[in-house]
Structure formats: C-alpha cells, structure tokens
C-alpha cells in the first residue's frame, strides 16, 4: 500500500465485521484486514490501515494480476464474512472468521482466512504487514518450518498457510522483507487454500490442514446459528433485526458482558474534520439501552451479564462516594486518558487521531436515567437485583437528589462548557421514577418520599424552563431556543403524552428544524457551539428515535416510510456507523452500537403498532 493517497481509503460501509467475542476485525471488499486490535477491543491495533493506509498495517488477501470485481455477504445466520471475487478467468471466495474464544479472557485469538475456488482458476496474493501498538513498535520476524512469527516487545502474531491436501503450499515461495510477508498461489476449481493468523500462540507455528480449517468453519457457523436461533423476534424486519443482534453480540466482551460503543477509533464525523473519537469503551448509556433490545429479542443471558457489570460499577461508585462515570474500559477500569497519535494521518486525512477518551470525566446526568430504565425493565422481566446491589442503587438515587439541579456536559459530550440540559433533567426524572417503581413493586427500602418530591420538582422545572414559548418547543438547554433530537425520547419514556399540545408543537418544530429528507441531525452546531470546529452528518440513532416519536404521535405511515428509508442507508451487509453524511455515505465509528440498538427497538415498536392496526 506504499504510496497510497487519502483517496484510496475504502468507504467506511465497504467493510465487514468479524469477531470472537473478545475482539474484532474489519475487512474491506478488496480482502484487506485494515482494523484489528488484540487481545481486546480496547487494545492497541495490530492492523490499523483504516487510520493510515501507509503506516497503519494491514493484511490483504485478494486476486493477483487480474481485473476483478468483488461483493460481500455474510453466511446466513452467522458473522462469517464471504468476499466473492469475480474475474473473466473464474470466481473465488474468501471466507473470513474468528473461532469463538469463550468467556475466559485470553491473549490468544485466531483469524482464519479460507479461500476456495468456485469455478475456473485464479492466482491470489497475500501480504501481511502488522504494525504493532498503532504502528509505534518495531518487530522481529522469526521463520519456522510451518509458519512465521512477528514478535514485538509486547506481543506476537503467528502466520501459517494451510497444508493443502490438493496442492501443498510451499513456504519457500514466501517473500519476507521489511515490508512484511507476502506470497502468491494459484487455485483451480474445487481447490481450498488459506492462512491463519494467531496472537500469543504458545508454541511454534503449526499449519492447519484444509480439513481442520473447514471443521473450525463449521463449528463457528453452528455456534452462531444456535445463538441467533434463540431470538424470539418474528416480525416484519427479521433479517435486519437479527443482523443487528449479531452485530451487537460481536461488540460484547464475553468475559464481562460489557458492550463497546464501536470496535473502532478515530473514524471521523466529518471527513477532514477533528471530531474523531475512540469508541472502544463501554458507555453506561449505550450498554443500558442494550438491555431493552436484548430482552425484546429474548436474549436474557446477555442482558443479565451486562446488569452484573453495571451493578459492579454502581457498587464501586457508592463505595467511593462518587458519581457514576459515563464510560469505562470493558473490564470496568475507569482510566481512559486521551492521547493524540500524531504519526497517523487519519482516515482520508482526518486528524487528529485520538485514543482514549477525555469525555470519561464529564458529568452527564442522563446516564442515571438510562441505567435505571434498564434495571427497572430487567426487574419486570424477573432479573431482580440482589440486596446489596439495590442498597447501592438506592444510595445512587440519594446522590442524584442532591446533584440533579446543576449544569452538566450533556448526552452529546460537548466541550464548550456545562449547561442546564433539558435531556439530562428529563432522564434524572426517569431515574427517580423507575427507582420508585422498583421499590414499590418489590417492597424495597428507599427514601421514596424524598425521591418522589425531587422527581416532581424536576418535572415542574422541565415543563416551565425547558419549553421555549416563542419556539413552541422543548429546547436543548434552559434559556435557549435550540432544538435537540435527544428530546425525541420524551414521550417514549412516559415523561409527556405524545398527544400533549406542548409535545405536538415540539415534534412539528423538529420536523422542520432538524429533519432532512427523513434523516435527523442531533442539533445545529452553528446555533449551539459545542467547542469543536466543523459540522457533522445526521445521527442514525436520532433518526430511529424520530420513527418512534412519529409512531407514538399516530403518524404511523410517516413512521414506517421513514424507517424503510433508513434501512436503505445501511451498508450492503446491514451495518450502520454513527452518522450519515450529506452525500449519503456512512461516517463516524463503525459499526455503531447505538444505531443497531435503536434499530432493534424501533422495529419491535413499529411491529406492535402495525399489528394492532390489523
């Protein structure tokens, strides 16, 4: 990839996601692994060409010396990625997958790249060029009889070609130099070949036979089909809902049950802009929303695992007499220092590239509402908090009673100073309301009188100060006339009736002020400076929330059309990033948990309403 220009970066949506429930990789339509972190989602990258085509590291496996076109699909019911290469000489298929590792944390992960020739013949070439620690650590190459080992100061990566029973792959044909390891090989109709990558392999490289590789493929296929077969969603959009469910599962760290917001870092919200954040962590907000989506689909075990993770964070916060942090590492550790990787050019020149996330220390009051919504929903579904967990949660509500009425940083993590954000107040009301519901339903101890008084005070404050009489709408923060799409959640949270005149006028204002051909902007950065230069695209989660708001308001036809339009913006594989650019392409980190969570909830909600219509 030496000499590549920024124009050579593949579109964000031209990638497939594979993973083993502890880490993940992105693979483009030309067969390049250009994002892979190990041993965890939030570990440094091994392949990072997504953020620097020349210096980030990559592993390409594609046809060599022939013109071809390529298409990608998932093996149905699985996240096994199939890249099909078509040429005048034949058709070949590359199957990329990662065998599931299980719930015990490990440094050892395998990425298997299996090539099979469907018809004709074709020459293929692979080029493996790892760049450890975001391209900062050098490595030494060890040559063994059945493979090679790239070894840096902190990790190792083993590369081994299959032992092909039809045509033995000759390791002597491999070229090794400072640019990595590469080789060419030819396959004919019916042939199978391929390579295996493995991190932290405890022994010398051992090449798989094709039979062994095919057995691992079958095991991985069967595992995922069993899992997705547990979904109880049978509605109108079953295929896209199940793909979203698998995508969320791929972004869940099995040892702790924590869901990352996205498996990538640094993908821009505006090409060439500075809104480039690291999303490989667990936000209380995002992960709490996952409980609703998972329970709607019948995945109780996954919801329960996350709730245990959340319970641990609540206990830690109360033991330290601290508020909840808005995000954590996937193991629950709170330290996420933000750092700029100045040696990487960024996706299509979008610098700076950041790792870590300085927003971790912000005050965002809405996270208490989202956490309590998930706990109350779980409680209604029989996932009842243990005594100690409830005691700490009650203490958290006492803390909220004392601290809700103050400026904060807000759901969008602005860096321009704190405000009295309306959404944060609404979700503080939600937190206290849901805590009261749990306490009354289960007869649990708690200062219900105090919680009720504070809940009611929040409600009155939002209704009097959060509504702008001139704009005839609820606004982003008190004293402003700025619209904010986060407030689309208000009727769905039962804060306000969808037929209340104050809400109906708010929705009409958003129709004209934030919606562009059915897509929804979070807010207008020009009207509401957020401390960052540049603009952004429409926000996928907000578009899905808009669908639900339309449906609740009785505008069912508008809601369904908007939802169907939104489905056209997915990638060819059914994946969504964070935002949609004015050009229609996906931007921001990819795939994005928020987008897929809201898709699932919206599809289920629409199904219910359409079924009632008959």
């Amino acid at each position: 990839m030496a000499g590549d220009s920024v124009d050579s970066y593949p579109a964000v949506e031209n990638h497939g996601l594979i993973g083993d429930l502890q880490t993940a990789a992105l693979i483009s339509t030309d067969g390049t692994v250009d994002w892979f972190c190990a041993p965890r989602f939030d570990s440094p990258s091994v392949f990072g060409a997504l953020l620097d085509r020349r210096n980030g590291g990559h592993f390409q496996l594609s046809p060599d010396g022939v013109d071809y076109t390529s298409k990608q699909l998932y093996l149905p019911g699985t996240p096994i990625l199939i890249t099909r290469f078509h040429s005048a000489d034949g058709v070949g298929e590359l199957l990329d997958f990662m065998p599931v590792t299980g719930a015990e944390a490990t440094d050892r992960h395998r990425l298997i790249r299996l090539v099979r020739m469907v018809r004709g013949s074709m020459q293929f070439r692979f080029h493996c060029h790892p760049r450890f620690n975001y391209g900062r650590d050098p490595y030494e190459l060890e040559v063994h009889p059945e493979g090679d080992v790239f070894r840096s100061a902190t990790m190792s990566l083993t590369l081994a070609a299959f032992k092909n029973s039809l045509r033995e792959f000759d390791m002597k044909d491999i070229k090794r130099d400072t640019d990595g390891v590469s080789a060419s090989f030819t396959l004919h109709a019916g042939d199978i070949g391929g390579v295996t990558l493995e991190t932290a392999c405890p022994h010398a490289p051992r090449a798989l036979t094709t039979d062994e590789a095919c057995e691992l493929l079958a095991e991985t296929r069967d595992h995922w089909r069993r899992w997705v077969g547990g979904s109880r969603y049978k509605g109108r959009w079953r295929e896209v809902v199940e793909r979203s469910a698998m995508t969320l599962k791929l972004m869940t760290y099995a040892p702790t049950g924590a869901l990352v917001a996205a498996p990538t870092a640094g993908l821009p919200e505006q090409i060439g802009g500075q809104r480039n954040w690291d999303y490989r962590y667990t936000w209380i907000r995002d992960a709490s929303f996952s409980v609703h989506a998972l329970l709607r689909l019948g995945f109780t075990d996954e919801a329960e695992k996350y709730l245990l993770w959340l319970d641990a964070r609540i206990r830690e916060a109360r033991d330290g007499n601290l508020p909840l942090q808005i995000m954590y590492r996937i193991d629950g550790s709170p330290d996420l220092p933000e750092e700029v990787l100045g040696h990487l050019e960024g996706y299509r020149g979008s610098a700076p590239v950041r790792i870590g996330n300085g927003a971790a220390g912000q005050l965002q009051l809405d996270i208490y509402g989202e956490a309590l919504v998930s706990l109350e929903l779980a409680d209604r579904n029989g996932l009842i908090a243990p005594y100690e967990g409830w005691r700490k949660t009650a203490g958290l509500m006492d803390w909220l009673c004392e601290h809700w009425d103050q400026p904060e940083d807000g759901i969008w993590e602005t860096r321009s100073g704190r405000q009295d954000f309306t959404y944060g107040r609404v979700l503080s009301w939600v937190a206290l309301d849901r805590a009261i519901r749990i306490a009354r339903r289960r007869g649990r101890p708690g200062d219900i009188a105090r919680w009720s008084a504070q809940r009611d005070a929040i409600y009155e404050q939002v209704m009097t100060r959060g509504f702008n009489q001139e704009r005839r709408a609820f606004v982003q923060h008190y004293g402003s006339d700025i619209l904010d799409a986060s407030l689309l959640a208000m009727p769905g949270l039962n804060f306000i009736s969808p037929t209340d005149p104050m809400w109906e006028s708010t929705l009409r204002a958003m129709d004209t002020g934030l919606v562009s051909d059915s897509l929804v902007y979070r807010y207008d950065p020009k009207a509401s400076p957020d401390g960052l230069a540049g603009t952004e695209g429409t926000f996928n989660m907000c578009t899905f929330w808009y669908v639900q708001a339309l449906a609740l308001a009785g505008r069912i036809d508008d809601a369904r059309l908007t939802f169907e339009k939104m489905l056209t913006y997915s990638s060819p594989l059914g994946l969504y990033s964070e935002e949609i650019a004015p050009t229609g392409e996906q931007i921001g980190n990819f795939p994005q948990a928020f987008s897929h969570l809201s898709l699932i909830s919206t599809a289920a909600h629409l199904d219910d309403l359409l079924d009632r219509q008959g």
Side-chain angles (χ1 to χ4, degrees):
M1 292 189 179
D4 286 351
S5 70
V6 295
D7 295 331
S8 69
Y9 283 80
V12 168
E13 62 260 38
N14 288 345
H15 289 89
L17 178 73
I18 64 171
D20 64 4
L21 305 184
Q22 294 191 21
T23 188
L26 287 181
I27 301 168
S28 67
T29 52
D30 69 352
T32 300
V33 181
D34 57 14
W35 186 255
F36 174 61
C37 299
R40 310 189 321 187
F41 294 107
D42 56 357
S43 298
S45 64
V46 177
F47 300 123
L50 199 59
L51 298 178
D52 194 310
R53 298 290 281 174
R54 290 177 288 270
N55 303 310
H58 68 276
F59 181 3
Q60 185 170 8
L61 200 168
S62 59
D64 186 33
V66 62
D67 291 332
Y68 68 90
T69 60
S70 62
K71 305 286 185 182
Q72 283 185 325
L73 72 155
Y74 280 118
L75 186 67
T78 80
I80 295 170
L81 182 65
I82 304 175
T83 306
R84 290 172 54 81
F85 301 107
H86 298 258
S87 76
D89 298 326
V91 176
E93 291 185 340
L94 169 63
L95 286 80
D96 283 302
F97 66 98
M98 297 179 70
V100 175
T101 53
E104 293 297 322
T106 178
D107 290 346
R108 190 177 180 186
H109 303 276
R110 287 181 294 176
L111 195 165
I112 297 176
R113 318 202 70 191
L114 186 152
V115 188
R116 59 190 182 195
M117 203 63 204
V118 178
R119 65 168 175 82
S121 62
M122 197 178 292
Q123 179 170 293
F124 290 86
R125 178 178 181 270
F126 74 74
H127 180 213
C128 182
H129 185 204
R131 298 279 287 162
F132 297 102
N133 189 18
Y134 308 108
R136 295 182 294 192
D137 290 355
Y139 64 80
E140 295 181 352
L141 183 63
E142 301 173 2
V143 179
H144 295 265
E146 294 192 21
D148 295 343
V149 179
F150 302 88
R151 195 178 302 279
S152 75
T154 56
M155 73 175 300
S156 65
L157 181 71
T158 297
L159 170 69
F162 293 176
K163 291 180 180 177
N164 193 324
S165 58
L166 295 172
R167 196 167 278 101
E168 187 74 21
F169 193 95
D170 191 344
M171 294 300 292
K172 295 190 297 294
D173 294 336
I174 292 183
K175 178 183 177 182
R176 303 173 176 90
D177 56 31
T178 56
D179 196 34
V181 172
S182 60
S184 296
F185 57 97
T186 300
L187 295 180
H188 303 280
D191 287 356
I192 296 177
V195 293
T196 302
L197 282 176
E198 187 169 1
T199 61
C201 181
H203 51 70
R206 186 187 76 81
L208 293 177
T209 66
T210 54
D211 286 345
E212 289 173 322
C214 289
E215 287 174 9
L216 288 170
L217 176 67
E219 290 173 7
T220 304
R221 176 200 65 204
D222 294 346
H223 170 90
W224 282 100
R225 286 182 175 169
R226 281 194 302 270
W227 182 81
V228 80
S231 170
R232 64 186 181 205
Y233 178 83
K234 310 299 179 188
R236 294 165 178 80
W237 298 282
R238 182 173 178 178
E239 185 175 346
V240 294
V241 166
E242 290 186 350
R243 179 55 55 196
S244 288
M246 278 185 278
T247 303
L248 293 173
K249 181 71 171 173
L250 282 172
M251 291 192 282
T252 301
Y253 185 62
T256 64
L259 173 77
V260 295
T264 57
L267 290 180
E269 296 173 18
Q270 179 188 28
I271 302 301
Q274 61 178 251
R275 299 166 184 263
N276 319 314
W277 312 112
D278 189 349
Y279 275 16
R280 299 169 300 153
Y281 309 113
T282 300
W283 270 252
I284 295 291
R285 178 186 306 110
D286 304 40
S288 295
F289 282 144
S290 74
V291 174
H292 183 268
L294 292 168
L295 290 178
R296 287 296 296 259
L297 299 181
F299 294 122
T300 320
D301 290 346
E302 285 76 10
E304 186 171 18
K305 191 79 178 284
Y306 165 68
L307 290 168
L308 290 172
W309 183 92
L310 175 61
D311 178 71
R313 306 290 80 75
I314 292 174
R315 295 186 191 208
E316 290 165 358
R318 297 317 304 143
D319 288 344
N321 196 30
L322 297 169
L324 275 178
Q325 193 162 288
I326 70 166
M327 72 180 91
Y328 298 84
R329 290 190 178 274
I330 50 180
D331 61 3
S333 58
D335 299 323
L336 291 83
E338 189 169 295
E339 175 185 359
V340 171
L341 301 180
H343 63 288
L344 298 180
E345 70 176 7
Y347 178 78
R348 296 186 181 177
S350 302
V353 173
R354 298 181 180 90
I355 56 172
N357 201 308
Q362 289 190 349
L363 174 66
Q364 297 179 18
L365 293 171
D366 66 281
I367 65 171
Y368 301 96
E370 284 120 5
L372 265 294
V373 164
S374 70
L375 291 174
E376 195 272 334
L377 180 62
D379 185 84
R380 279 191 277 128
N381 282 269
L383 300 176
I384 302 169
Y387 164 72
E388 188 62 23
W390 170 254
R391 193 171 70 84
K392 299 296 186 182
T393 300
L396 200 64
M397 293 302 96
D398 293 336
W399 179 93
L400 186 61
C401 285
E402 296 173 4
H403 295 89
W404 67 263
D405 194 13
Q406 63 175 305
E408 44 134 353
D409 296 294
I411 180 176
W412 305 131
E413 299 175 1
T414 59
R415 300 193 178 194
S416 58
R418 293 179 174 178
Q419 298 283 354
D420 294 313
F421 284 105
T422 305
Y423 182 77
R425 297 298 201 276
V426 170
L427 269 291
S428 295
W429 176 91
V430 168
L432 294 168
D433 179 72
R434 298 322 190 256
I436 293 166
R437 293 187 193 186
I438 297 172
R440 286 177 172 162
R441 181 187 301 128
R442 301 293 175 189
R444 293 296 173 88
D447 195 345
I448 294 178
R450 183 189 188 195
W451 299 349
S452 298
Q454 293 300 309
R455 178 196 62 183
D456 295 347
I458 297 170
Y459 187 86
E460 291 296 336
Q461 187 187 90
V462 170
M463 298 303 283
T464 55
R465 297 183 62 193
F467 188 83
N468 183 289
Q469 294 292 341
E470 287 73 29
R471 194 72 188 261
R472 300 302 301 164
F474 289 99
V475 290
Q476 185 178 73
H477 56 81
Y478 299 166
S480 75
D481 63 355
I482 300 161
L483 299 174
D484 191 311
S486 65
L487 301 176
L488 287 165
M490 290 173 69
L493 292 167
N494 296 319
F495 183 89
I496 192 169
S497 166
T499 58
D500 189 302
M502 295 174 72
W503 175 251
E504 289 179 331
S505 62
T506 299
L507 188 55
R508 286 194 297 270
M510 292 191 184
D511 286 337
T512 57
L514 293 180
V515 180
S516 174
D517 187 29
S518 80
L519 300 177
V520 181
Y521 290 94
R522 294 189 292 181
Y523 55 90
D524 181 358
K526 294 178 183 177
S528 176
D530 54 15
L532 298 165
T535 60
E536 61 182 21
T538 56
F539 206 77
N540 293 334
M541 178 190 70
C542 293
T543 302
F544 287 121
W545 281 4
Y546 180 57
V547 172
Q548 294 189 53
L550 290 173
L552 285 169
R555 296 164 58 181
I556 303 296
D557 289 342
D558 290 342
R560 185 167 187 178
L561 179 58
T562 301
F563 185 69
E564 294 286 359
K565 281 185 178 181
M566 190 59 192
L567 296 182
T568 70
Y569 288 98
S570 77
S571 79
L573 295 169
L575 305 180
Y576 287 89
S577 66
E578 185 176 31
E579 300 180 11
I580 303 296
T583 58
E585 66 180 327
Q586 301 209 37
I587 51 176
N589 284 301
F590 177 87
Q592 174 82 1
F594 243 162
S595 300
H596 288 278
L597 288 165
S598 52
L599 183 155
I600 291 171
S601 298
T602 302
H605 185 67
L606 262 186
D607 269 320
D608 290 345
L609 291 175
L610 290 168
D611 286 346
R612 279 183 230 151
Q613 276 192 337

